[in-house]
Amino acid sequence: MDVILEDRPIEQVREEVIDQLIVNYSHGVISAEAFERRLDDAMNSSSHREILELVADLSLKADTDYNNRKEHQFTPGYSNKTQDEALTLNSVLGNNERSGQWQVPKVINVRNILGESTLDFSDAIFQHQHVTIKLHCVLGGAVIYVPEGINVVCKSYGIVSSIENRAPSLASRQAPVITIEGKVILGSLNVSIKRTIKEKFIEFANNLKSAFDMKGQY
């Protein structure tokens, strides 16, 4: 006997509906405007029935290929490498940046003196579940971007400085954990999410649509 709709976990219902919206948009069943409107409603509604009604007129559903693509897109990248060498970024009157699909070691040392370092974990490949950033920032700045689904714990302290963490530790226990230690003196530390989950859904949907459009040309 099926569980009644209202007794199902609402986040599970929401995820299934969003998947169905993405599938139908990527196949050209609904327009981009309709997709984004329904996506907003699916993410913001607190009613099981309201969420489910958003796909009542859509027949296509997620299949195994879709689920595999989604897992690849939304699961943080992990590598089987066991290299434990620490990464050290020194910025003196200059800038340093790590972004793209870079290998994340267990320990990252960031030393800024009148300089700025940027660590972008949006597409990074993690080698360890627990990563420590050791920060020493004097008259400089550090900017850290993380994707949603990453735990961030900020243990650093500041002296006449600005420290802002807009990526709180809310992800699952299996997600990577980034711990920031150290000090900021007359400088700044900013931690934020570069792409929201809605932006990632739209990007994923557009990538799928492009792939299906290309297939249709052959």
Side-chain angles (χ1 to χ4, degrees), residues 187-212:
S188 65
L189 166 63
N190 291 290
V191 183
S192 62
I193 295 171
K194 189 173 184 179
R195 286 175 293 181
T196 64
I197 191 63
K198 177 187 173 182
E199 290 170 332
K200 292 190 71 174
F201 282 141
I202 293 174
E203 180 185 21
F204 177 54
N206 284 328
N207 289 340
L208 283 181
K209 190 174 189 306
S210 296
F212 285 119

Side-chain angles (χ1 to χ4, degrees), residues 41-83:
D41 291 342
M43 296 182 69
N44 296 326
S45 177
S46 58
S47 166
H48 289 70
R49 295 201 176 275
E50 285 181 2
I51 295 171
L52 204 57
E53 285 173 1
L54 295 169
V55 292
D57 58 341
L58 304 178
S59 58
L60 295 179
K61 295 186 177 182
D63 56 14
T64 302
D65 180 62
Y66 171 87
N67 291 329
N68 290 337
R69 289 173 182 247
K70 179 185 174 186
E71 183 177 2
H72 177 75
Q73 178 75 19
F74 288 91
T75 302
Y78 276 102
S79 169
N80 293 325
K81 292 184 179 181
T82 56
Q83 181 180 355

Side-chain angles (χ1 to χ4, degrees), residues 108-180:
I108 302 173
N109 298 303
V110 178
R111 302 188 184 102
N112 295 331
I113 300 175
L114 292 168
E116 181 174 283
S117 292
T118 300
L119 294 172
D120 187 347
F121 293 93
S122 299
D123 300 303
I125 308 298
F126 287 84
Q127 301 179 81
H128 309 273
Q129 185 179 1
H130 297 276
V131 175
T132 301
I133 299 174
K134 296 183 178 180
L135 182 65
H136 178 79
C137 190
V138 179
L139 291 168
V143 178
I144 299 173
Y145 296 114
V146 298
E148 290 193 1
I150 299 289
N151 291 302
V152 178
V153 180
C154 190
K155 296 182 178 179
S156 57
Y157 65 92
I159 300 175
V160 194
S161 299
S162 169
I163 296 178
E164 186 172 10
N165 178 16
R166 286 175 286 177
S169 179
L170 295 173
S172 68
R173 294 182 180 180
Q174 290 75 33
V177 179
I178 299 174
T179 302
I180 306 171

